[in-house]
Amino acid sequence: MRARLLRGGAQIAFADLRRKVFFHRQKALIVFAIDASESMGEGSLERMKAAKGAVLGLLTAAYQNRDQVALIAFREQHAQILLRPTSSVQLAQQHLRKLPLGGATPLADGLWQAWQLIRSERQKQPALQPFLVVVSDGEANVPRVPGADIVTELNGIAEQLAKDRIEALVVDSQAGIGNPRLQQLAQTLGGDYQQIRDLHAGKLLAAILASEAR
């Protein structure tokens, strides 16, 4: 392209032209599915506190991006949505003021509720990037359907999550050796598996950020 002569004798060529191109990062939705059952003993409180701290930390760090966070606790017979998708730190603090604990371990229902929540949000925001974080000791003992095989249920739901291309991180909070059931769950999800002893908000947040960066 030949240079064009401008007033004052300055020259400009096509290669000199520039324009700004703005790339908008897709909004993220991080859904926590946390084991609040008594099978985890006193550790259940620590895990719920760690999840609450990670939620608030993520919301504070992601304020400018308007990323969203949700939290589901599974205990007794069913999972419960404690915090629906939000980008508000204040709202998260209000909803997570009380942390329910105790009962059996309906891990399958926790996964199911997380999957349905993500599907619902994707219908509203098709470009949403969901990320599922499961924190448990893996001692699932309550099936979604009475009498159903728990392992078969877990694998079936995990396969659906993987089919929907939902990135996932499974955090094993068991103090001893890693739980094979959670390792298998992470593999079926196509996600990451990490065993974290003495879990707290900082460790959980670091694990999430490391997994997202992969």
Side-chain angles (χ1 to χ4, degrees):
M1 177 72 68
R2 290 183 300 176
R4 294 176 58 192
L5 185 63
L6 301 181
R7 291 181 180 179
Q11 290 186 331
I12 183 169
F14 180 78
D16 297 320
L17 299 178
R18 297 288 185 271
R19 69 169 180 167
K20 288 186 178 180
V21 178
F22 294 93
F23 291 94
H24 294 281
R25 187 181 66 80
Q26 290 178 310
K27 185 185 294 184
L29 169 62
I30 300 176
V31 177
F32 289 81
I34 309 298
D35 189 341
S37 68
E38 64 183 8
S39 69
M40 300 169 75
E42 294 180 358
S44 59
L45 176 60
E46 297 306 315
R47 269 156 279 273
M48 289 296 290
K49 289 169 65 177
K52 177 181 178 179
V55 165
L56 297 177
L58 286 168
L59 287 176
T60 301
Y63 177 77
Q64 291 183 336
N65 298 325
R66 307 305 292 174
D67 289 339
Q68 296 180 316
V69 176
L71 191 147
I72 297 170
F74 50 94
R75 58 185 284 271
E76 296 183 341
Q77 300 300 311
H78 302 286
Q80 177 185 4
I81 299 176
L82 300 183
L83 178 67
R84 291 196 168 274
T86 182
S87 57
S88 169
V89 176
Q90 184 178 8
L91 191 63
Q93 289 175 327
Q94 292 175 354
H95 283 262
L96 300 181
R97 191 166 295 161
K98 294 183 179 180
L99 303 174
L101 301 169
T105 313
L107 175 55
D109 196 50
L111 284 180
W112 175 269
Q113 293 285 358
W115 179 38
Q116 296 307 304
L117 179 64
I118 290 171
R119 292 185 70 187
S120 176
E121 291 303 310
R122 266 184 165 173
Q123 289 180 351
K124 303 173 189 175
Q125 307 173 72
L128 196 67
Q129 286 186 321
F131 187 83
L132 173 62
V133 181
V134 181
V135 182
S136 177
D137 64 355
E139 300 302 323
N141 52 31
V142 179
R144 289 196 70 250
V145 178
D149 180 74
I150 295 176
V151 175
T152 301
E153 272 196 335
L154 286 173
N155 287 336
I157 299 170
E159 287 172 358
Q160 291 298 323
L161 283 157
K163 185 178 179 180
D164 283 352
R165 298 182 180 181
I166 297 170
E167 296 184 22
L169 167 66
V170 177
V171 176
D172 185 347
S173 59
Q174 192 164 266
I177 60 174
N179 189 304
R181 180 177 291 176
L182 291 180
Q183 294 171 357
Q184 178 60 48
L185 177 62
Q187 183 176 350
T188 305
L189 286 167
D192 294 331
Y193 166 87
Q194 289 196 39
Q195 184 180 20
I196 304 179
R197 300 180 179 88
D198 301 320
L199 185 65
H200 56 72
K203 286 185 177 181
L204 180 56
L205 187 56
I208 293 169
L209 295 177
S211 183
E212 283 188 309
R214 292 193 182 114

